[in-house]
Amino acid sequence: MNIHATPDTTALRLLDRGRDLLRDRRPADAALLLSRAASLPAAPAEAHGLLAEALMESDDAPAALIAADAALSLRDDAALRLLRARIRRALGHADGAMDDAAAAVMATPSDRDAKALLATCLSEAGRHDEAIFLFHQAFVAEPEAPHRSAMLAMAMMRGGRHAAAEELYALAHSMAPYARGILPLRAQNVLLGGDPHKAIALIEGALGRQQGEAALYSVLGQARQRLGQAEAAAEAYAEAARLDPTDTYLQHLAAAMTNAGATPDRASDRYVTDVFDGYANRFEAALFALGYRVPGVMLKLIEGQGYTPGGRHLGDVLDLGCGTGLMGATLHDMLGGRLVGVDLSPRMIEVARAKGIYTELRCAEINEAMAADTAHYDLVLLSDVLCYFGRLDAVLGAVAARLKPGGLVALSIESGEAEGGWELQASARYRHDPGYLRAALERAGLATLEFREETLRWEGEATVPGVIALARLGG
């Protein structure tokens, strides 16, 4: 490179080389060059935009968002809006992603990819009819493209229209019989439609051709589990985990079903996020249908300490694993201070935000959130959270550090005899021995005030036993 080149010439050369590296699927190398281009005086919007693309392909979405913001500050156009929408969606910023995708569609109404991304955002937000309308437009414009029919099928599936989704998935599969991803989704849709036998037949018919696809074995495990074939389900999950050892969701399921290898002492962030992102729009209805009792019992325990809607109010409350905000809504009338919610699932956070009762909501892992927090609280809530942790000492110690002197913690566990105090169940949740919980509370400096052995909810034909407890820092 000519060291006497003007900044403009240098930037152009770096941009050209960066584009070449992106085409060669070398995003990390491209990001190094493009970061240099973006740092030059008067760097064009394109430099920041290409850097955002390279960072996104390098799995660094937070840095990609900064670069995309910089690009849009210099030039607001549809392509950059679409790029930022993809980045925001990857980060779980659902509202921002939808806004950017909508802006891209308004700027270029004929852009099918922009319409598809907006439709995806709408579908994930539960706005199924609007999503189906946009996906259908893209499908009609390009009916020979299997990914268009597959995307419309996914919207139909999310909207509960499983028969229509099956027709579209079958069409996509006929056009691209060996394309990865289509058959697992087709089988998943059939399973959600209530036909595990057909889901198994679809997968087993394809295993000779697509043996290396982990998603096939994952859906096969779900279908076998639905039929009560625990051993066959465990074998399918184990094979899925073997095929994709980096997928912590599959690793957790395999560990729960097979009891093989070392048992993880907590569910992975990826597992928790994936489960609840997919569950957010129907979470509360599903829990109420199972006779979910935790919020009501916790409310009675807290009222037993003298807190009432018309009398003594709670101070600052930290709701860990707040989900859709059920506990926040339950305690709303007795709040006298801030209500801060923390959850790993961006979709659950969005539902909680819509309730308008939280002072602040943070999308984070709860231990990391507590470590970064400097505030102290009068009450910390752990409602249906500890079932995703095996060992409890670290999380209860972190809770104690966030309590004011005399502050309360209300928590629930799934209970049962467990060697070593806790065990991972086939449900992929942990259960704890009540004696282990008592000892863990004591080690954290938390004195037990209430310790109720309760039925938490129904699961299938059986009840789920548990403990709902209230403890105070310092006795």
Side-chain angles (χ1 to χ4, degrees):
M1 179 179 290
N2 180 0
I3 62 172
H4 300 295
T6 65
D8 286 344
T9 303
T10 301
L12 289 172
R13 289 179 179 176
L14 290 170
L15 290 176
D16 286 343
R17 182 57 180 149
R19 286 192 204 91
D20 291 341
L21 290 169
L22 281 171
R23 281 194 293 268
D24 293 341
R25 299 183 183 276
R26 295 169 58 187
D29 293 333
L32 288 173
L33 284 178
L34 292 166
S35 63
R36 290 174 58 194
S39 67
L40 292 171
E46 187 179 13
H48 298 282
L50 285 169
L51 175 59
E53 184 179 342
L55 290 167
M56 186 64 179
E57 292 185 17
S58 300
D59 296 324
D60 191 352
L65 180 59
I66 293 171
D69 287 342
L72 281 161
S73 71
L74 296 170
R75 188 183 74 227
D76 192 343
D77 68 17
L80 290 173
R81 284 278 187 174
L82 191 59
L83 173 61
R84 190 169 70 175
R86 291 192 180 102
I87 296 167
R88 283 177 158 175
R89 178 171 172 262
L91 289 168
H93 302 172
D95 289 342
M98 193 179 300
D99 288 345
D100 277 337
V105 171
M106 290 180 67
T108 54
S110 61
D111 189 330
R112 296 168 194 162
D113 290 334
K115 283 185 177 179
L117 183 56
L118 177 57
T120 299
C121 292
L122 288 165
S123 179
E124 290 173 345
R127 295 165 61 175
H128 303 301
D129 289 342
E130 295 165 90
I132 288 168
F133 175 78
L134 287 173
F135 276 131
H136 186 262
Q137 285 188 332
F139 170 67
V140 169
E142 209 174 355
E144 73 286 353
H147 69 285
R148 297 298 183 198
S149 55
M151 293 172 82
L152 178 57
M154 181 175 285
M156 293 286 190
M157 177 174 70
R158 285 176 170 158
R161 304 177 191 182
H162 300 295
E166 163 58 8
E167 290 183 18
L168 288 159
Y169 276 133
L171 174 62
H173 190 213
S174 69
M175 289 189 286
Y178 302 110
R180 295 176 70 85
I182 292 178
L183 185 59
L185 285 169
R186 183 183 178 189
Q188 182 76 60
N189 175 67
V190 168
L191 180 59
L192 290 171
D195 193 345
H197 294 286
K198 182 176 179 179
I200 290 169
L202 281 170
I203 294 168
E204 289 185 339
L207 286 180
R209 302 188 305 272
Q210 296 171 251
Q211 286 189 356
E213 193 165 358
L216 282 173
Y217 288 94
S218 176
V219 180
L220 180 60
Q222 294 172 48
R224 295 287 191 198
Q225 199 168 5
R226 182 77 62 86
L227 292 172
Q229 301 170 1
E231 187 174 340
E235 291 175 0
Y237 285 133
E239 181 62 11
R242 185 191 69 79
L243 289 168
D244 191 353
T246 65
D247 189 324
T248 54
Y249 178 92
L250 292 175
Q251 299 302 315
H252 186 75
L253 276 178
M257 291 294 295
T258 63
N259 292 317
T263 301
D265 61 9
R266 54 158 294 178
S268 70
D269 292 354
R270 160 78 190 284
Y271 176 81
V272 175
T273 302
D274 283 1
V275 166
F276 288 102
D277 269 358
Y279 199 23
N281 291 326
R282 54 192 173 87
F283 177 74
E284 294 183 9
L287 279 185
F288 291 141
L290 296 173
Y292 184 56
R293 302 183 62 243
V294 173
V297 175
M298 277 194 178
L299 175 62
K300 289 185 180 299
L301 297 187
I302 293 165
E303 287 176 335
Q305 299 301 305
Y307 296 101
T308 62
R312 183 184 175 201
H313 280 191
L314 292 161
D316 293 338
V317 176
L318 177 62
D319 189 359
L320 296 171
C322 65
T324 59
L326 275 178
M327 280 305 303
T330 300
L331 298 179
H332 182 256
D333 290 342
M334 61 176 63
L335 293 174
R338 296 186 309 136
L339 176 61
V340 178
V342 178
D343 202 277
L344 260 175
S345 164
R347 307 294 175 212
M348 299 288 268
I349 287 282
E350 291 298 324
V351 177
R353 181 172 288 113
K355 288 184 167 63
I357 57 177
Y358 285 86
T359 310
E360 183 182 351
L361 285 162
R362 304 169 187 163
C363 188
E365 192 276 325
I366 64 172
N367 281 313
E368 293 175 1
M370 287 189 285
D373 200 344
T374 57
H376 292 86
Y377 298 87
D378 298 279
L379 172 65
V380 174
L381 301 168
L382 288 159
S383 172
D384 260 3
V385 173
L386 298 181
C387 55
Y388 296 101
F389 290 83
R391 301 185 195 281
L392 298 182
D393 289 88
V395 67
L396 291 179
V399 166
R402 296 273 59 82
L403 285 170
K404 296 177 181 178
L408 301 173
V409 56
L411 59 86
S412 65
I413 60 164
E414 295 185 14
S415 64
E417 293 184 3
E419 185 177 349
W422 57 272
E423 68 179 17
L424 180 58
Q425 306 172 88
S427 64
R429 298 187 301 273
Y430 294 87
R431 70 179 177 190
H432 298 86
D433 189 290
Y436 172 79
L437 174 60
R438 285 185 182 275
L441 287 168
E442 185 176 351
R443 287 192 295 271
L446 298 164
T448 301
L449 302 176
E450 297 277 0
F451 201 87
R452 303 269 187 97
E453 296 195 15
E454 299 275 354
T455 294
L456 304 183
R457 65 181 180 281
W458 285 90
E459 190 167 282
E461 299 298 317
T463 58
V464 177
V467 169
I468 302 174
L470 188 71
R472 172 176 286 131
L473 180 66

